[in-house]
Amino acid sequence: KAGVTQTPRYLIKTRGQQVTLSCSPISGHRSVSWYQQTPGQGLQFLFEYFSETQRNKGNFPGRFSGRQFSNSRSEMNVSTLELGDSALYLCASSLHRDGEAFFGQGTRLTVV
Amino acid sequence: SQQGEEDPQALSIQEGENATMNCSYKTSINNLQWYRQNSGRGLVHLILIRSNEREKHSGRLRVTLDTSKKSSSLLITASRAADTASYFCATVSNAGNNRKLIWGLGTSLAVNP
């Protein structure tokens, strides 16, 4: 069974641009969560999607948005990028919303 | 804000020694999970312990849960250099419909050969 796949693995963007990151969950998993990880702030929850609906949202500005498709694949979008958005963005899928989470390798975003 | 708080923040030991990491949390939980992360990679699930369980084992890993103290510990016995990683605890609250994992900041473990 294929694991969680995140694309792209690395990305360099300029301040003010927007970016879209993609996550393909494990087949059969309907819950997808996104996290931002930085050295100073640790793992910060962005949002969770279950069956195409956003179920939970973290404390991030409206520039951060996401969606989930009918095949459970998810995308997150960050508009008007800021230098502070440089981070490792992790996606995790799970069969049940409170069960074991399976993580992708992450997308390393650098904003210059 | 983070629910789980791991202690210590960093730990350095010699190969063969045991490593103990602690996690404290604030609200009532449904379950508590431990994860491991190698540098710059995704997290890997280690153990899930439910609120009605007190201890769980998996290979060289032993997790305990004390709901009265709202704390958990992860013990790695006979550590190896390959155990060098960051270890995170995550809790799932049993309050209402809130089922998201809430994470601590992690313990960075260095096992020296």
Side-chain angles (χ1 to χ4, degrees):
Chain A
K1 191 184 261 192
V4 177
T5 304
Q6 288 187 248
T7 57
R9 287 292 310 280
Y10 302 93
L11 205 49
I12 299 175
K13 288 285 192 177
T14 305
R15 265 185 308 176
Q17 287 186 313
Q18 67 93 27
V19 67
T20 299
L21 311 182
S22 179
C23 173
S24 293
I26 290 173
S27 178
H29 286 191
R30 290 190 295 162
S31 175
V32 174
S33 297
W34 287 90
Y35 299 87
Q36 181 196 66
Q37 188 177 34
T38 57
Q41 297 294 318
L43 207 61
Q44 300 283 325
F45 172 77
L46 280 157
F47 20 69
E48 179 213 356
Y49 287 88
F50 186 83
S51 294
E52 300 179 67
T53 303
Q54 187 180 91
R55 300 300 177 108
N56 274 302
K57 190 175 190 302
N59 296 324
F60 279 81
R63 300 185 297 107
F64 291 81
S65 63
R67 57 179 176 167
Q68 187 180 34
F69 302 95
S70 58
N71 62 357
S72 292
R73 191 176 71 84
S74 177
E75 289 181 348
M76 67 162 281
N77 185 78
V78 187
S79 61
T80 320
L81 284 165
E82 300 176 0
L83 295 179
D85 296 333
S86 295
L88 179 67
Y89 289 87
L90 292 165
C91 163
S93 77
S94 59
L95 191 59
H96 305 292
R97 292 181 64 204
D98 60 353
E100 175 185 350
F102 293 81
F103 282 80
Q105 293 300 301
T107 293
R108 171 75 61 185
L109 172 66
T110 302
V111 182
V112 297
Chain B
S1 64
Q2 301 294 336
Q3 152 100 303
E5 293 181 10
E6 287 91 341
D7 163 55
Q9 287 188 330
L11 184 60
S12 181
I13 60 175
Q14 297 298 124
E15 250 187 337
E17 292 180 338
N18 295 341
T20 300
M21 289 159 268
N22 302 298
C23 169
S24 59
Y25 56 92
K26 295 172 184 152
T27 64
S28 295
I29 61 170
N30 177 284
N31 67 62
L32 184 146
Q33 303 176 33
W34 283 93
Y35 289 78
R36 162 201 166 117
Q37 183 182 34
N38 289 87
S39 180
R41 309 287 294 273
L43 282 74
V44 175
H45 181 267
L46 296 175
I47 288 185
L48 181 155
I49 186 165
R50 301 196 182 282
S51 59
N52 61 352
E53 297 176 310
R54 291 297 166 257
E55 189 171 308
K56 230 173 171 178
H57 297 255
S58 176
R60 294 182 297 112
L61 306 180
R62 174 180 165 243
V63 167
T64 61
L65 178 65
D66 187 334
T67 53
S68 66
K69 295 180 180 177
K70 290 188 167 59
S71 69
S72 172
S73 68
L74 169 66
L75 168 68
I76 304 174
T77 59
S79 63
R80 305 166 182 168
D83 294 328
T84 295
S86 290
Y87 292 82
F88 294 86
C89 72
T91 55
V92 177
S93 169
N94 62 5
N97 198 33
N98 190 359
R99 287 288 182 261
K100 65 181 179 184
L101 285 169
I102 302 177
W103 299 83
L105 292 175
T107 292
S108 177
L109 172 66
V111 181
N112 306 302

